């Protein structure tokens, strides 16, 4: 985790006088990881709202694990320990959404975009669980929410501290459409609380250089964002 990457993280910290509960419960593996804890017990439902946020573009979480390994993990752990963020927003995680057997990129088949998986060529999800989510102790303090694309592209991972108040609902699209519909490239995660507070993790498309393709896509995104 070098200096150039750390400068990409935006941290907003608000100091408050509150009791922080921390419970380390190591996960039993990737299969259990899929069963997301939506916030915990009744105390969490009336607990504190998130007040501090850390945002980082990963440009591929597997690339970080493969090429930087322990160096990157140590940097992330030190940053989390120092800042103690309530919410961690990762963009461009590049994990593949679970799909029917034989599914191909952009084939229109339904995906479970909240569930990363391993395909025939890559064991990305297994690696992320074994070397990151199930291994790093600080990860056990957070509940993960994924939104994934059809292939190793875009995607978001948002981590909410388990001692926080439980969000009333989640949206994974800019239309705020309920029912679990995700942005097709996993670019959106919005947590809404009963107080009206919304915490959003967005990964905007690149402007690129192709007027007919990239610019039109980005303008459509910007219009949707303004509407939101």
């Amino acid at each position: 985790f070098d200096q150039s990457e750390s400068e990409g993280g935006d941290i907003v910290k608000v100091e408050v006088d509150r009791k922080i509960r921390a419970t380390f419960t190591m996960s039993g593996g990737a299969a259990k990881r899929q069963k997301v804890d939506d916030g915990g017990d009744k105390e969490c439902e009336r607990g504190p709202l998130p007040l501090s946020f850390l945002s980082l573009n990963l440009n591929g979480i597997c690339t970080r694990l493969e090429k930087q390994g322990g160096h990157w993990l140590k940097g992330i752990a030190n940053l989390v320990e120092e800042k103690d963020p309530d919410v961690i927003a990762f963009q461009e995680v590049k994990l593949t959404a679970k799909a029917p057997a034989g599914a191909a990129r952009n084939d229109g088949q339904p995906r479970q975009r909240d569930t990363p998986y391993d395909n025939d060529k890559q064991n990305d999800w297994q690696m992320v669980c074994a070397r990151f989510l199930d291994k790093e102790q600080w990860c056990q303090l957070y509940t993960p929410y994924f939104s994934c694309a059809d292939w190793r592209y875009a995607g978001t991972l948002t981590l909410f501290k388990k001692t926080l108040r439980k969000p009333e609902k989640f949206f994974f699209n800019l239309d705020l459409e309920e029912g679990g519909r995700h942005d097709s490239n996993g670019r959106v995660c919005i947590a809404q609380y009963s107080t009206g507070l919304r915490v959003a993790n967005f990964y905007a498309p690149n402007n690129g250089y192709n007027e007919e393709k990239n610019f039109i896509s980005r303008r459509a995104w910007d219009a949707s964002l303004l509407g939101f």
Side-chain angles (χ1 to χ4, degrees):
F1 191 76
D2 60 30
Q3 184 64 27
S4 62
E5 290 169 338
S6 66
E7 289 176 354
D10 299 322
I11 183 72
V12 179
K13 184 67 177 178
V14 180
E15 296 295 339
V16 293
D17 182 16
R18 72 183 186 214
K19 181 180 178 182
I20 301 295
R21 296 189 299 117
T23 304
F24 288 88
T25 54
M26 299 302 290
S27 170
K32 291 185 178 180
R33 172 68 61 185
Q34 301 291 348
K35 298 178 180 179
V36 172
D37 174 6
D38 279 338
D41 54 23
K42 293 294 183 180
E43 182 176 344
C44 288
E45 292 181 5
R46 59 177 183 272
L49 291 168
L51 294 173
S52 56
F53 310 89
L54 177 65
S55 178
L56 290 168
N57 183 300
L58 298 183
N59 192 23
I61 188 170
C62 292
T63 300
R64 296 290 176 224
L65 293 172
E66 290 170 341
K67 295 187 176 181
Q68 295 176 305
H71 176 62
W72 179 76
L73 289 170
K74 182 178 179 181
I76 287 287
N78 289 342
L79 185 62
V80 171
E81 180 179 4
E82 175 188 353
K83 303 299 184 181
D84 189 28
D86 291 332
V87 179
I88 303 173
F90 291 132
Q91 303 89 36
E92 204 172 8
V93 292
K94 295 185 179 180
L95 290 172
T96 306
K98 187 174 183 180
R105 172 179 165 184
N106 297 328
D107 62 4
Q109 292 197 58
R111 259 70 170 178
Q112 291 179 241
R113 299 196 183 280
D114 62 346
T115 307
Y117 90 124
D118 296 322
N119 58 31
D120 295 336
K121 298 180 180 179
Q122 300 157 336
N123 293 318
D124 293 352
W125 178 232
Q126 183 178 339
M127 179 198 305
V128 169
C129 287
R131 298 176 62 180
F132 183 55
L133 288 177
D134 291 338
K135 183 178 181 181
E136 294 295 296
Q137 284 192 328
W138 69 263
C139 286
Q140 313 315 310
L141 301 177
Y142 294 84
T143 299
Y145 292 87
F146 289 90
S147 191
C148 304
D150 289 6
W151 53 295
R152 255 191 176 190
Y153 177 70
T156 55
L157 165 58
T158 315
L159 302 172
F160 289 81
K161 193 174 283 184
K162 292 179 180 179
T163 52
L164 296 175
R165 184 180 307 188
K166 179 181 177 181
E168 184 179 43
K169 61 183 67 174
F170 278 88
F171 302 100
F172 296 93
N173 58 81
L174 289 176
D175 299 328
L176 299 183
E177 177 184 321
E178 297 189 53
R181 183 180 69 81
H182 286 238
D183 174 85
S184 61
N185 288 318
R187 297 182 181 278
V188 177
C189 176
I190 303 168
Q192 181 168 303
Y193 292 85
S194 57
T195 61
L197 173 69
R198 287 175 181 164
V199 176
N201 180 12
F202 297 146
Y203 174 52
N206 195 309
N207 268 328
Y209 55 87
N210 186 313
E211 174 71 25
E212 294 183 0
K213 180 180 178 182
N214 301 98
F215 283 19
I216 292 175
S217 174
R218 179 55 186 263
R219 286 166 184 158
W221 166 272
D222 290 345
S224 297
L225 191 59
L226 287 172
F228 163 79

